[in-house]
Amino acid sequence: MYAICTAAGICYYSICGRRRKLPLAIVNNTSSNENTLILSYDGYTPASDEIIKENGTFSQSLVPNSVADVPWNLTQNAVNNVKVYTGTNGEKIKPKSMAFWFRGAVYSGSLQGASKETLKNIDLTGLDTSGTESMAYLFSGDVALEKIAGLNSLDTSSVTDMTCMFNSCMKLSEIDVSNFNTSNVTSFEQMFGWVDSEGTNQISNLDLSNFNTSKATNMHNMFLGLNVEELNLKNFDTSSVTTMSMMF
């Protein structure tokens, strides 16, 4: 598979000689009156939902350096859910980077002065993350987020940066990272840090027993403000860590 990009910035992907684009759209479910951001391999959207906005296409090779680089960041439609769809033949979107993808304030209708977060549910089961190198700020600031489907099935073997990945996800009652492969991660900075005026969160348990931190250099603020009663870090290798300031 290789990318073909037009002068207009629309990227297609040649798969077995066929050119494919990776579409995205916002649809509305009239029964629940909720909007869903759909990222799809080949344009599939549920027939029962009304497409209210099409935002063009996005590139699997995109490496965002900020929220502004994410193709769906300027939507003025409040988004309640995110769903990733596989292709009609089971093909999965394979992003090079997921940095900033769902960072807070993107889905409340404005990047500036957002007063209310609306994003509640994210379903990532349609992704192939075996080649994903960054998940930095992936869910950071999503203070209304309640559920991430498919989280523990993500392949994180190529990820090197998990900075602020779950920062300030105040309503998540579960973060299942027990199967995460972190053998290549160098930065865990503020990965679970909860920066909030109330200083509270819903997490009661965090299983890090399988974490491989042998390449980690940064654990600054990693657990700052996290209110779990116990953390088992006996397998943490901190031999390469250069900063642990305010880790807890």
Side-chain angles (χ1 to χ4, degrees), residues 63-73 97-104 106-107 134-140 142 161 163-164:
V63 181
N65 292 309
S66 70
V67 173
D69 293 336
V70 181
W72 47 89
N73 75 325
S97 173
M98 294 178 70
F100 301 97
W101 267 29
F102 308 118
R103 190 176 184 183
V106 176
Y107 302 101
S134 177
M135 292 186 177
Y137 296 92
L138 179 54
F139 309 107
S140 177
D142 291 326
D161 192 351
T163 300
C164 291

Side-chain angles (χ1 to χ4, degrees), residues 151-195:
L151 178 64
N152 203 33
S153 62
L154 294 180
D155 184 340
T156 59
S157 58
S158 297
V159 177
T160 61
D161 192 351
M162 291 186 174
T163 300
C164 291
M165 186 173 178
F166 302 101
N167 171 255
S168 298
C169 294
M170 307 306 297
K171 288 193 175 181
L172 275 180
S173 59
E174 179 182 16
I175 298 179
D176 187 356
V177 292
S178 57
N179 286 331
F180 269 28
N181 181 340
T182 60
S183 58
N184 285 308
V185 177
T186 59
S187 177
F188 292 100
E189 181 178 4
Q190 210 160 307
M191 181 177 181
F192 304 102
W194 306 89
V195 179

Side-chain angles (χ1 to χ4, degrees), residues 85 90 114 158 188 190 202 224 229:
Y85 282 100
S158 297
F188 292 100
Q190 210 160 307
Q202 306 298 318
L224 181 66
E229 295 184 359

Side-chain angles (χ1 to χ4, degrees), residues 22-23 27 36-47 49 82-88 90-93 123-127:
L22 299 175
V27 300
T36 300
L37 171 67
I38 288 182
L39 311 181
S40 54
Y41 183 86
D42 54 11
Y44 170 75
T45 55
D49 292 339
V82 174
K83 171 68 176 176
V84 181
Y85 282 100
T86 57
T88 52
E91 307 97 331
K92 290 189 174 184
I93 295 170
D123 186 344
L124 302 177
T125 53
L127 287 179

Side-chain angles (χ1 to χ4, degrees), residues 12 96 133 189 223:
Y12 297 82
K96 180 178 177 62
E133 297 175 1
E189 181 178 4
F223 305 108

